[in-house]
Amino acid sequence: MKCINDTVLGMVLACGLGSGWFELASAAAQDPSHREDASATRNLQAQGAAFIVPAMWEYGVPLIAPEPRESNPSRAQKDPTVVFHNGQWHVFMTVKLPGKSAIEYCSFKKWEEANASRRTILKVSTSDYYCAPQVFYFRPHKKWYLVYQVGVPGLNKMWVAYSTTADIADPTSWTQAMPMLDGGKDDPRKVGGLDYWIICDDQRAYLFLTSLDGKMWRLATRLEDFPRGFGHCELALEAKIFEASHTYKLKGMDNYLTVIEENGRRYYKAYLADRLDGAWTPVADTAERPFAGWKNIRPAAGVEPWTDNISHGELIRAGIDETLTVDPNELRFIFQGMWDKDKSGKGYGQFQWRIGMLTPVAGGAAAK
């Protein structure tokens, strides 16, 4: 890897790695939209922060595909959120049904069993549109939370909705949808946004959302007030980004990682910050050097290629709780994929997404 002169605005690259990995303390773009990130970059540099982005990922066969069935036939499986608890993987995802988008659940011991596992549509809302879930265990309440978006007739902002349960393994136990933010006149959001994401530090719960226009927004509430009290909607990041921002605490580091999807042939970008209310610095934010995209994915040996889109993905976490911690040395990325050519002539709702997993390739070189 070529070392970049430090006169380039805010750019710090840790050089001297092998071809398989690139290690980024941080990297800031030179255009004006990133100038406000310069001080954050210096802070990360001063802390000696480093995050290793895989130069190449491999994917296996699709893990969860639309299920052929007479009742509520599914057209696409999307937006996966995943935890491992009590020896089982628990997956919640958007399912595209005739005239409806809903949340579907399945659980299994091994990923090889995922597609054959029993599916259950959660009956948490009467809306025809409740989807894009996020699941975590909120330790202060000793409850599981499911956060998702709900379309409500007459409102121009979707609900930031939640349900709770004491037993994640019982899909019938979730409470009915309640709003954290209800889209009404007192809703503090500047835009309704979508793909709502909760992450907490030791004092606050933060709500992040994207608005399909290059902006990621942030709201916060005191930990003791969660899930109420969200206010002070502010711009967290403005860049060439689209949707599905997911934010994590990096295990063993004093940093947070946000991955965000870009439009078109879908791929993921990555940003770092030293605190949840801080500035985000790009570390992998182009199609040529993505966090995960068609330039740095390949099928595993013996696997028939099936995707060049990496869309609405979630990193597998090191735990289950509200800190959303991931181990940077054990990255795995669950995503929705399909061929870009298969989108031709179809609206987004007709895309036939399937869910797969990316695993880093040690010593792998990125595609040319």
Side-chain angles (χ1 to χ4, degrees):
M1 176 179 289
K2 179 182 176 182
C3 289
I4 307 299
N5 190 291
D6 61 6
T7 59
V8 175
L9 177 64
M11 181 170 284
V12 181
L13 296 180
C15 303
L17 293 178
S19 61
W21 301 90
F22 56 89
E23 184 173 0
L24 303 178
S26 61
Q30 297 182 60
D31 63 86
S33 67
H34 288 118
R35 285 176 184 162
E36 66 271 18
D37 292 336
S39 61
T41 300
R42 295 188 193 103
N43 288 340
L44 292 171
Q45 181 185 18
Q47 295 167 14
F51 176 64
I52 299 174
V53 178
M56 177 62 67
W57 304 81
E58 280 187 347
Y59 62 85
V61 298
L63 297 173
I64 304 177
E67 184 178 52
R69 55 199 183 203
E70 292 185 8
S71 178
N72 288 315
S74 58
R75 182 172 62 250
Q77 305 298 134
K78 304 175 67 264
D79 314 332
T81 184
V82 183
V83 292
F84 186 74
H85 179 63
N86 284 346
Q88 293 276 122
W89 292 102
H90 301 269
V91 178
F92 299 81
M93 57 201 148
T94 298
V95 59
K96 286 292 190 179
L97 307 172
K100 186 173 185 175
S101 294
I103 298 172
E104 192 163 64
Y105 165 80
C106 64
S107 67
F108 42 88
K109 289 185 177 181
K110 299 179 180 179
W111 281 101
E112 293 84 354
E113 304 167 352
N115 199 51
S117 62
R118 180 181 177 181
R119 315 273 180 96
T120 303
I121 297 172
L122 300 191
K123 297 179 179 179
V124 293
S125 175
T126 58
S127 173
D128 288 335
Y129 186 86
Y130 61 99
C131 55
Q134 178 204 12
V135 69
F136 59 90
Y137 185 75
F138 190 63
R139 290 173 296 172
H141 293 175
K142 295 182 171 59
K143 288 181 180 179
W144 293 93
Y145 272 75
L146 194 67
V147 178
Y148 49 100
Q149 58 202 38
V150 175
V152 179
L155 295 178
N156 60 9
K157 295 176 182 175
M158 291 188 291
W159 275 13
V160 181
Y162 72 95
S163 298
T164 64
T165 185
D167 184 4
I168 193 174
D170 180 1
T172 68
S173 65
W174 290 96
T175 60
Q176 286 295 293
M178 291 290 292
M180 290 185 191
L181 298 174
D182 64 5
K185 62 181 179 62
D186 296 325
D187 192 316
R189 286 175 289 171
K190 295 181 180 179
V191 294
L194 75 170
D195 296 334
Y196 308 125
W197 187 263
I198 298 290
I199 181 172
C200 304
D201 59 21
D202 58 358
Q203 294 184 329
R204 294 181 179 273
Y206 292 84
L207 166 63
F208 289 92
L209 56 98
T210 45
S211 48
L212 307 180
D213 59 356
K215 296 176 181 178
M216 181 177 75
W217 303 87
R218 173 175 54 220
L219 301 90
T221 187
R222 296 186 309 167
L223 209 57
E224 57 266 35
D225 293 336
F226 180 80
R228 305 294 184 189
F230 282 100
H232 185 57
C233 182
E234 63 182 4
L235 188 62
L237 174 66
E238 186 167 11
K240 197 172 185 300
I241 55 176
F242 191 57
E243 63 181 358
S245 70
H246 295 161
T247 299
Y248 304 92
K249 178 72 176 72
L250 289 172
K251 182 179 179 181
M253 298 183 182
D254 293 326
N255 297 126
Y256 292 89
L257 168 70
T258 287
V259 295
I260 313 179
E261 185 176 344
E262 174 60 306
N263 201 6
R265 180 160 49 155
R266 302 301 181 95
Y267 69 95
Y268 260 86
K269 300 182 174 187
Y271 300 80
L272 287 179
D274 59 2
R275 62 185 195 275
L276 289 170
D277 61 352
W280 293 95
T281 301
V283 293
D285 69 333
T286 67
E288 292 298 313
R289 182 188 281 172
F291 177 72
W294 68 90
K295 277 287 189 178
N296 68 341
I297 63 168
R298 72 188 187 198
V303 173
E304 187 73 20
W306 62 272
T307 185
D308 57 356
N309 280 254
I310 302 299
S311 179
H312 203 114
E314 182 172 301
L315 288 165
I316 290 182
R317 301 170 224 160
I320 61 174
D321 66 38
E322 71 280 357
T323 63
L324 281 292
T325 301
V326 298
D327 186 341
N329 298 313
E330 296 289 342
L331 294 177
R332 286 179 291 171
F333 197 47
I334 305 296
F335 70 99
Q336 63 186 43
M338 64 178 292
W339 287 116
D340 207 58
K341 61 182 176 62
D342 292 337
K343 299 177 184 176
S344 179
K346 299 176 183 177
Y348 185 82
Q350 278 68 52
F351 295 171
Q352 295 182 327
W353 298 102
R354 294 179 288 176
I355 292 173
M357 181 189 296
L358 295 176
T359 303
V361 178
K368 301 295 185 183

